Amino acid sequence: MTNTLDQQCIDTLRFLSVDAVQRANSGHPGMPLGAAPMAYALWTQFLKCNPGNPDWADRDRFVLSVGHGSALLYSLLHLSGYDLSLDDIKAFRQWGSKAPGHPERGHTPGVEVTTGPLGQGFANAVGMAIGEAQLAARYNRPGHAVIDHHTYVIVGDGDLMEGVAAEATSLAGHLRLGKLVCLYDDNRVTLSAGTDMAFTEDRAARFEACGWHTVAVADGNDVEAIAAALQSARSQASRPSLILVRTHIGYGSPNKHDSFEAHGSPLGVEEVRLTKQRLSWPTEPPFLIPEPALAHMRQARARGQNAEATWSQRMQAYALAFPDLAAELQCSLRGELPSGWDADIPTFPADAKGMATRAASAKVMNAMAQRLPALTGGSADLDPSTKTVLKGGGDFNPPVTQTDDTQGADSGGWSPAGRNLHFGVREHAMGAIVNGLAAHGGFIPFGATFLIFSDYMRPAIRLAALMKLHVVYVFTHDSLAVGEDGPTHQPVEQLASLRAIPGLTVIRPADANETAVAWTVAVESRQRPVLLALTRQEVPTLDRSRYASAEGLRGGAYVLNDANDQPPVLILIANGSEVALILAAAERLQSEGIAVRCVSMPSWDLFDVQPQSYRDGVLPPTVPARLAVELGMTQGWHRYVGDRGDVLGVERFGASAPADILLREYGFTVDNVAARARKLLTGMRSVG
């Protein structure tokens, strides 16, 4: 049953949303009309938040995974007292408004994550629930529950159809995330059709099979039934919950009720009028907010202030009882780096044989992890290959039972406090989950796989860049040198593709010491994700008494050496494993009397933000003879080599063969690099 004030609040949410969409002449009115009651029940009876301080650490997290229903979220935020004005809602989807077409983290106060690509928000919520569970297990003490909140997410049919949601559902059930509650807007209509066209599985049975608690609400307008279902979900200590709420898209619209036409287009002026009449709402003025409804919804501010004040008192008591733990937790929650966090990062001695940069990365990660408690993550079932286990950090898993197969477990044991996340073979979910961890706060999360499988994660990587999340991607097996696994596992176009993402820093270090600096940059880069592309094969550890310091990586590109300190006539540029190749080629060319400069260029992104004077110092405009060498597509390199330069790259797929054979067949040899360089110089002379 719904009382009169409840109904007034629900209809206020509905028609603020509908009016915003209609004024913009763009948007999705159907979802707010159907889902407003469930959102209202959650926000007024259960959601722990403080509109006056949207970033309060122990707030409940709320994710609107059905981001096309953003107008409903903005109505909730405005009525609850967040810093989102009615004028912003009236300017929905317009330039300068805090109410963009889909929710954007950092743009609108109270929006936890950027949603729109379906399924991503749901998987983000799984990451947030993991974050709450791990922090609670690591820091709470008897009588001191300083981390104690829920994660709520509203999903739709489209979310549950996407593969990323299936992966995240499976993992969340396995991990027994009892504080994760999912409200399913079960309206059975998608953008173009009824779900009977393509989605007839038993959704409840699917989630139950994955270890979820499920409960169905037959009437999406029954606030009491929805509240009872939420209460039931909150009582589940060891199972995430799916509440299937039977709703109707476009509820109340005489001509678009239960129709896909209410999904992605405004109702139309006349249909808005008819819908308001049908639901006994005044047809004028638009954007009506009755005072009783506003007063009732604004109680969220007082509730939130009281809840945060109570939590602050708990934190003060906790800090007195456990000062070191409290200081560590607060540092992580603020996103700060503890003093001396980098004190143990190793420096690697020169070694002609060297080591794979993935192996160097493992040493660096484990050295940092001892002093950097926020570092948490894992791989998509590839720890032995990506070398990303935090030794002694424990495995984030339910406690071991007699029947569990613990192969691959870390020595720290299974528990919710474990810092090693086992994503299984689920790259899609891994990408979105680490985003959720970063958005939750308290973590520097990492996800690891082979570089080729970054394709599975690209939507999440793009969203991490869009949200400016502090996420680290550890992608190994970075080139044709993967060898016998063949073209399915040899990344060719991935580096070029990833470099095209605005706001993502891609770093491909040349040796162990560049890898150490790359990790330092990744940890320090709070406002953007960083991707490390690492080798499977061993690469020489450069003699830094002969070559420039690896700290030059911070500039994106730096001069490794010049021939006999003479002005260069030729510049060789490379990154990753190819740096050793250009150094060997340079020695040959120098023996012929050619003054060669060798430049290590591990990151275009870091180089491009340097002052022009620095960039000209590394790549002097007066030296047009430039050869770039990289085991990937040549796309993009010409901006650095210029019209008169050359690029040795890979313009076709790889093949199955030993790595040394592949490198020879694709021209990555000292002979070929030297020959291409000589040809450049010959061309310069003929032009001159």
Side-chain angles (χ1 to χ4, degrees):
M1 297 294 292
T2 304
N3 69 37
T4 303
L5 181 57
D6 288 340
Q7 191 62 58
Q8 187 182 69
C9 291
I10 290 167
D11 288 339
T12 302
L13 290 168
R14 282 172 166 153
F15 289 111
L16 267 183
S17 304
V18 167
D19 287 339
V21 171
Q22 191 59 47
R23 174 168 289 190
N25 197 29
S26 175
H28 301 71
M31 182 271 179
L33 283 169
M38 74 169 79
Y40 170 76
L42 172 63
W43 277 62
T44 57
Q45 297 187 45
F46 297 95
L47 191 70
K48 181 177 67 173
C49 62
N50 183 2
N53 182 12
D55 298 325
W56 164 40
D58 199 44
R59 68 192 181 279
D60 288 340
R61 270 56 171 183
F62 173 76
V63 176
L64 183 71
S65 191
V66 277
H68 54 266
S70 60
L72 174 60
L73 177 55
Y74 302 145
S75 298
L76 288 162
L77 292 170
H78 173 69
L79 293 176
S80 299
Y82 285 81
D83 183 19
L84 181 69
S85 71
L86 184 59
D87 285 340
D88 282 314
I89 292 178
K90 290 179 179 179
F92 177 57
R93 293 191 163 214
Q94 306 306 301
W95 181 266
S97 174
K98 290 182 183 178
H102 290 81
E104 297 180 27
R105 175 182 172 86
H107 189 82
T108 311
V111 171
E112 299 283 2
V113 288
T114 299
T115 55
L118 292 175
Q120 290 286 327
F122 173 75
N124 292 161
V126 173
M128 291 175 174
I130 290 172
E132 192 278 342
Q134 193 201 88
L135 290 178
R138 287 171 61 186
Y139 292 104
N140 287 353
R141 294 296 182 269
H144 296 275
V146 291
I147 300 295
D148 183 14
H149 54 265
H150 285 74
T151 300
Y152 298 99
V153 55
I154 291 181
V155 304
D157 294 294
D159 288 297
L160 300 191
M161 289 188 207
E162 289 285 2
V164 63
E167 291 184 3
T169 298
S170 174
L171 185 59
H174 163 75
L175 294 175
R176 305 178 190 172
L177 300 174
K179 288 187 175 179
L180 173 62
V181 179
C182 177
L183 286 157
Y184 171 26
D185 179 23
D186 185 13
N187 62 41
R188 305 182 190 179
V189 176
T190 61
L191 184 146
S192 67
T195 54
D196 287 347
M197 187 73 73
F199 190 46
T200 53
E201 67 191 46
D202 186 330
R203 278 77 109 180
R206 167 180 152 194
F207 275 74
E208 288 165 4
C210 289
W212 287 58
H213 162 73
T214 68
V215 57
V217 175
D219 180 1
N221 289 307
D222 190 338
V223 172
E224 288 186 5
I226 294 168
L230 283 163
Q231 192 60 54
S232 173
R234 285 169 55 90
S235 70
Q236 299 294 315
S238 60
R239 288 190 296 172
S241 294
L242 177 73
I243 302 173
L244 301 95
V245 184
R246 180 67 174 103
T247 59
H248 297 274
I249 195 168
Y251 178 81
S253 170
N255 299 299
K256 297 186 179 181
H257 180 99
D258 278 342
S259 169
F260 71 86
E261 292 183 4
H263 186 286
S265 301
L267 295 179
V269 173
E270 179 61 15
E271 192 68 15
V272 169
R273 186 183 68 81
L274 293 174
T275 304
K276 289 179 177 180
Q277 288 179 342
R278 174 69 63 86
L279 295 181
S280 300
W281 190 257
T283 57
E284 294 292 340
F287 301 99
L288 173 64
I289 303 177
E291 186 57 38
L294 181 62
H296 183 63
M297 294 290 292
R298 284 283 163 91
Q299 290 177 16
R301 292 186 67 92
R303 288 197 305 270
Q305 289 169 358
N306 291 336
E308 184 175 357
T310 301
W311 176 79
S312 295
Q313 292 173 358
R314 293 204 308 271
M315 275 300 300
Q316 291 172 7
Y318 178 70
L320 289 173
F322 307 99
D324 292 342
L325 281 176
E328 181 179 291
L329 173 60
Q330 291 282 37
C331 180
S332 294
L333 289 173
R334 290 192 298 265
E336 298 173 355
L337 299 177
S339 177
W341 70 272
D342 55 351
D344 299 328
I345 294 177
T347 299
F348 298 89
D351 184 352
K353 180 182 178 183
M355 67 176 69
T357 53
R358 62 171 177 164
S361 170
K363 294 179 182 295
V364 174
M365 290 176 67
N366 277 278
M368 291 191 306
Q370 302 303 311
R371 295 175 177 264
L372 192 60
L375 188 64
T376 296
S379 78
D381 195 48
L382 289 169
D383 287 343
S385 296
T386 58
K387 310 293 185 186
T388 45
V389 171
L390 301 179
K391 297 177 182 177
D395 301 292
F396 185 86
N397 250 319
V400 177
T401 66
Q402 283 188 332
T403 60
D404 287 324
D405 183 346
T406 60
Q407 293 181 76
D410 175 65
S411 59
W414 288 17
S415 81
R419 294 168 65 185
N420 289 297
L421 304 179
H422 296 271
F423 293 101
V425 188
R426 300 186 183 98
E427 278 93 352
H428 297 86
M430 177 173 70
I433 287 170
V434 295
N435 284 356
L437 277 169
H440 178 278
F443 298 93
I444 301 174
F446 64 88
T449 186
F450 295 167
L451 181 59
I452 191 71
F453 300 135
S454 63
D455 288 347
Y456 283 152
M457 298 173 62
R458 186 177 175 85
I461 295 172
R462 182 178 187 275
L463 286 169
L466 185 60
M467 288 187 270
K468 301 180 180 179
L469 294 177
H470 194 182
V471 173
V472 182
Y473 304 104
V474 186
F475 291 162
T476 66
H477 297 57
D478 68 347
S479 74
L480 289 175
V482 169
E484 290 88 345
D485 276 337
T488 60
H489 282 56
Q490 293 164 357
V492 174
E493 76 278 18
Q494 278 66 32
L495 284 171
S497 173
L498 292 162
R499 285 170 177 151
I501 299 176
L504 172 67
T505 298
V506 178
I507 307 177
R508 189 168 179 248
D511 71 348
N513 286 306
E514 277 199 8
T515 303
V517 180
W519 257 111
T520 305
V521 170
V523 169
E524 293 171 346
S525 298
R526 291 179 57 182
Q527 295 298 312
R528 59 194 292 148
V530 175
L531 186 154
L532 306 180
L534 306 173
T535 69
R536 176 196 189 194
Q537 76 276 22
E538 294 173 341
V539 294
T541 303
L542 302 182
D543 182 351
R544 296 294 171 168
S545 67
R546 180 181 178 188
Y547 302 112
S549 167
E551 284 292 323
L553 176 141
R554 293 179 177 275
Y558 64 104
V559 179
L560 276 171
N561 75 328
D562 281 323
N564 302 321
D565 296 322
Q566 299 176 26
V569 298
L570 170 71
I571 303 175
L572 299 180
I573 313 167
N575 58 42
S577 55
E578 295 83 82
V579 168
L581 174 59
I582 66 167
L583 289 172
E587 287 190 10
R588 179 173 298 180
L589 294 166
Q590 288 162 3
S591 71
E592 301 169 9
I594 300 172
V596 181
R597 167 174 288 187
C598 288
V599 170
S600 175
M601 195 173 194
S603 176
W604 297 3
D605 307 286
L606 295 176
F607 185 66
D608 288 348
V609 299
Q610 301 305 315
Q612 187 66 49
S613 58
Y614 177 85
R615 287 179 279 153
D616 288 347
V618 175
L619 302 175
T622 55
V623 185
R626 305 176 188 179
L627 175 63
V629 180
E630 184 176 68
L631 279 163
M633 299 288 288
T634 62
Q635 181 178 334
W637 270 109
H638 292 87
R639 78 175 100 164
Y640 303 111
V641 300
D643 293 340
R644 300 171 68 184
D646 189 17
V647 184
L648 171 59
V650 179
E651 300 288 4
R652 55 194 171 99
F653 290 119
S656 181
D660 57 342
I661 303 299
L662 286 170
L663 296 179
R664 183 192 70 202
E665 293 295 324
Y666 281 74
F668 289 85
T669 65
V670 172
D671 287 343
N672 191 43
V673 172
R676 297 276 285 255
R678 293 189 201 99
K679 185 177 179 181
L680 265 180
L681 289 173
T682 301
M684 298 294 171
R685 295 189 190 103
S686 64
V687 171

